[in-house]
Amino acid sequence: MIVLGIDTSCDDTGVGIAQGNKVLANSVASQTAIHASWGGVVPEKASREHLSVIDAVVDEALATAKLELSQIDAVAATYGPGLVGALLVGLNYAKALAWSLGKPFIGVHHLEGHIASSLGAAQLEPPFLCLIASGGHTSLFAVSRWGKYEELGKTRDDAAGEAFDKVARLLGLGFPGGPELASLAETGDDQGVSLPMPLRGQGGYEFSFSGLKTAVSVLLQKQPELNKADLAASFERVVVDSLIDVVVRASAATGYTDVVVAGGVAANQRLRRGFIDAKLNAFFPPLSLATDNGAMIALAAHYKLGQNSNWLRDAQPYLPLDASLRSSASS
Ligand code: KG4
Ligand code: ZN
């Protein structure tokens, strides 16, 4: 079965094509340059841009896969969570395409897509843990089998990538701030600045990053002469340590030793080293699959091919993964 998957949940227009676990194409039109001057994603601009490029991105994916539209067996799209106007573009495009081809339409939860991204690059079978750390999400899932995901914990406030972006902004760096902050951090002393470890000693599997960001902001106001590279390195150390600490405890509690790390923060080299140091068997899908993309939606859709198309599935900006599974079981 060949599935075309679309993701327009935030600021990337992603169209991918997968045949089983094989990714045949994965085209992404990035809007980073459009939003950079605003310091963050502007929802209305994101929707308009998705609308103007989606046709071309679908054509590019088909050309890469050397396929005609008539060879597509099903069309899938993210229906939530995400920016509602952005979601609507990909979702309605996918429904219209599927309808016109007389093929099934499959709605996919964005985080289920991230979890399935590991399929495109490795023969990793459940059980495993999946840490999703991006600009919009920071969640840890226990995947006992495909289609069965338990959210062990998520962030109480900012996502990890969002914290990188906000602290980068405080340091006068560009957007998105993660890569710039990480390269500044390489030149600094990671013990140079004392910062609070989020949720220290509280147990559980939640994350929190907004207090850390506020601590950086207060420090910079009080001591503007502070060495920025040391501050970046110390901030990065605390974020990474806090992510790894939660995953290590979850691994001990579940007995799962394989960990898939998805989302843009997976690009962080310190995080990658941290998993090795913690002796966890971490798997990092290639970045083209780890960040938002359409191929992960096509991969996830393969597990839903038996389900009926749900043409009435609407865009849902707020959508916990467990709740979406309950509703799809009853639909
Ligand atoms: O998954 P992603 O591409 O999409 C969104 O959630 O929008 O993740 C982007 C996030 C941004 O917040 C970016 O700053 C962060 O991933 N990021 C990084 C690094 N590269 C990207 N954070 C830390 N270190 C990096 N090297
Ligand atoms: Zn995402």
Side-chain angles (χ1 to χ4, degrees):
M1 292 288 264
I2 300 178
V3 180
L4 183 143
I6 299 179
D7 183 80
T8 60
S9 57
C10 190
D11 61 337
D12 289 322
T13 315
V15 179
I17 301 175
Q19 183 168 27
N21 288 351
K22 190 160 185 261
V23 175
L24 304 179
N26 196 12
S27 296
V28 177
S30 166
Q31 299 181 10
T32 302
I34 293 169
H35 302 287
S37 63
W38 301 86
V41 176
V42 183
E44 180 60 25
K45 282 183 182 290
S47 325
R48 286 174 192 273
E49 185 63 15
H50 285 310
L51 205 52
S52 69
V53 304
I54 192 160
D55 260 330
V57 187
V58 169
D59 287 349
E60 185 185 294
L62 287 167
T64 306
K66 299 191 174 52
L67 290 171
E68 301 288 329
L69 263 183
S70 57
Q71 294 171 276
I72 299 295
D73 297 308
V75 183
T78 303
Y79 67 97
L83 301 171
V84 71
L87 285 167
L88 280 168
V89 175
L91 180 64
N92 287 325
Y93 188 101
K95 284 182 186 172
L97 184 59
W99 187 267
S100 70
L101 295 171
K103 299 287 165 63
F105 160 75
I106 302 161
V108 175
H109 190 285
H110 182 73
L111 297 186
E112 191 169 10
H114 275 301
I115 293 170
S117 67
S118 58
L119 276 170
Q123 296 306 316
L124 190 69
E125 284 301 323
F128 59 77
L129 298 173
C130 181
L131 173 69
I132 301 169
S134 69
H137 303 277
T138 299
S139 291
L140 180 65
F141 288 94
V143 181
S144 53
R145 60 177 164 79
W146 290 113
K148 191 159 185 339
Y149 317 103
E150 184 192 351
E151 188 171 62
L152 300 177
K154 63 179 175 188
T155 182
R156 290 185 181 177
D157 38 62
D158 290 350
E162 185 180 2
F164 268 96
D165 294 339
K166 287 178 174 172
V167 168
R169 202 180 159 115
L170 291 172
L171 294 174
L173 304 173
F175 172 84
E180 291 203 26
L181 191 147
S183 65
L184 178 63
E186 276 173 28
T187 65
D189 172 4
D190 65 6
Q191 301 292 336
V193 180
S194 168
L195 290 168
M197 177 63 82
L199 306 178
R200 181 188 287 281
Q202 292 202 17
Y205 306 111
E206 288 189 307
F207 307 92
S208 169
F209 300 105
S210 79
L212 180 60
K213 171 204 65 194
T214 305
V216 172
S217 167
V218 169
L219 262 180
L220 276 170
Q221 279 165 28
K222 284 191 184 154
Q223 304 174 51
E225 74 291 351
L226 218 61
N227 181 303
K228 300 250 169 69
D230 290 355
L231 189 52
S234 303
F235 165 79
E236 188 186 50
R237 168 181 53 80
V238 173
V239 173
V240 167
D241 285 356
S242 121
L243 290 170
I244 303 255
D245 176 59
V246 172
V247 179
V248 165
R249 281 189 286 109
S251 171
T254 56
Y256 297 2
T257 48
D258 289 341
V259 186
V260 173
V261 189
V265 182
N268 188 278
Q269 294 302 325
R270 187 180 183 112
L271 182 68
R272 289 173 178 240
R273 286 195 302 274
F275 276 105
I276 296 169
D277 295 345
K279 303 208 167 20
L280 286 166
N281 186 19
F283 176 72
F284 294 84
L287 272 189
S288 57
L289 283 172
T291 55
D292 289 352
N293 68 90
M296 69 182 194
I297 303 304
L299 289 165
H302 279 87
Y303 287 89
K304 300 172 180 291
L305 285 171
Q307 296 172 12
N308 291 334
S309 297
N310 189 340
W311 300 102
L312 298 179
R313 171 106 43 231
D314 212 348
Q316 284 175 260
Y318 175 76
L319 183 66
L321 179 52
D322 332 27
S324 90
L325 296 175
R326 281 196 294 279
S327 78
S328 62
S330 60
S331 69

